[in-house]
Amino acid sequence: MLKRIFDILVSFLLIIITIPLFILIAICIKVTSKGTIFFLQKRPGKKGELFKIFKFRTMELGSDKMTKGVEVLKNDPRITKIGKILRRTKIDELPQLINVLKGDMSLVGPRPERIDSLNDYTDEISKRLLVRPGMTGLAQVSGNIYLTLQERYKLDIYYVENQNFLLDTKILLRTIGVVLFGEEKYRNQNIKRIKK
């Protein structure tokens, strides 16, 4: 309950603070490429219940047909010019603050995957669905795209089995570092090395 209260307070505050940024990004997306401002897609949340995840659109229309478990790399030609900036700084994820406020997501938790990924879930991997998915998570601050899918799953399960306020705080603080310095800086750094 305390985690949920924290999520509500922080997401509401951040939404208010970033409204001018939301407007600026929306204008940039519309001016520089065809299509919608937001990218919406159904994802499995807590207990596998589906919800629509919000993101700023960073890719050309029709680019959402992606291979399961394959990350979009920064030099992918489908990414728009403004999309490269949004993805590098993680600003494309900001609309998920709305998901957090609604209760679909948490600030910290396993990242929500595409629905077709559920077909490959074992009982162990399914532990990811015991908590709300997060805007950021242990895998995202431990190398993310430089990790294999199985490595990310292991970190997600570790988080589910060991979650606490201190761990959430460490992940949130390191997320700031990821935004500023990139995912490469934290490649191969596991939870025991998270100091701040």
Side-chain angles (χ1 to χ4, degrees):
M1 186 170 63
L2 290 176
K3 181 178 173 72
R4 179 65 190 136
I5 292 171
F6 180 78
D7 282 343
I8 292 172
L9 292 177
V10 174
S11 61
F12 180 76
L13 180 62
L14 289 176
I15 288 172
I16 297 300
I17 292 173
T18 57
I19 284 177
L21 182 60
F22 268 64
I23 295 172
L24 177 62
I25 292 170
I27 293 171
C28 289
I29 291 174
K30 289 302 289 184
V31 169
T32 58
S33 64
K34 295 180 180 179
T36 59
I37 294 170
F38 295 106
F39 171 75
L40 279 70
Q41 190 176 62
K42 286 187 177 181
R43 300 284 176 94
K46 187 176 181 180
K47 298 180 181 178
E49 294 182 9
L50 300 182
F51 71 97
K52 283 187 178 179
I53 193 171
F54 298 98
K55 293 181 68 174
F56 283 120
R57 182 176 58 81
T58 60
M59 302 179 74
E60 301 293 348
L61 290 177
S63 298
D64 56 323
K65 305 294 185 291
M66 293 168 51
T67 306
K68 177 175 53 182
V70 176
E71 292 292 337
V72 178
L73 300 178
K74 57 186 176 182
N75 59 349
D76 193 303
R78 298 170 296 174
I79 301 175
T80 63
K81 290 181 179 179
I82 187 69
K84 289 180 180 179
I85 299 171
L86 297 179
R87 293 177 78 95
R88 165 60 188 84
T89 57
K90 306 297 182 184
I91 291 177
D92 62 318
E93 311 282 357
L94 272 182
Q96 287 163 38
L97 289 169
I98 299 170
N99 288 121
V100 174
L101 193 59
K102 288 175 57 184
D104 299 325
M105 296 178 64
S106 177
L107 292 171
V108 180
R111 286 293 296 162
E113 294 195 303
R114 289 171 181 78
I115 297 173
D116 58 359
S117 296
L118 296 177
N119 297 327
D120 297 330
Y121 273 27
T122 62
D123 288 343
E124 183 72 3
I125 297 173
S126 294
K127 290 180 180 179
R128 300 178 82 253
L129 304 175
L130 294 176
V131 298
R132 286 187 179 92
M135 286 185 66
T136 186
L138 184 55
Q140 283 62 54
V141 298
S142 303
N144 199 22
I145 63 172
Y146 299 100
L147 302 174
T148 66
L149 185 59
Q150 293 304 314
E151 287 172 332
R152 276 177 270 164
Y153 283 158
K154 287 180 181 179
L155 288 169
D156 289 339
I157 294 165
Y158 178 94
Y159 172 80
V160 171
E161 294 178 340
N162 297 276
Q163 63 176 316
N164 56 68
F165 187 73
L166 180 59
L167 178 57
D168 279 11
T169 302
K170 289 178 178 179
I171 292 172
L172 286 171
L173 290 175
R174 183 177 277 195
T175 299
I176 297 173
V178 169
V179 170
L180 294 176
F181 306 114
E183 294 169 337
E184 303 90 349
K185 178 176 174 60
Y186 300 100
R187 189 176 182 180
N188 298 324
Q189 291 191 29
N190 61 38
I191 184 62
K192 295 179 180 178
R193 295 180 185 165
I194 293 182
K195 302 296 183 184
K196 53 186 177 178

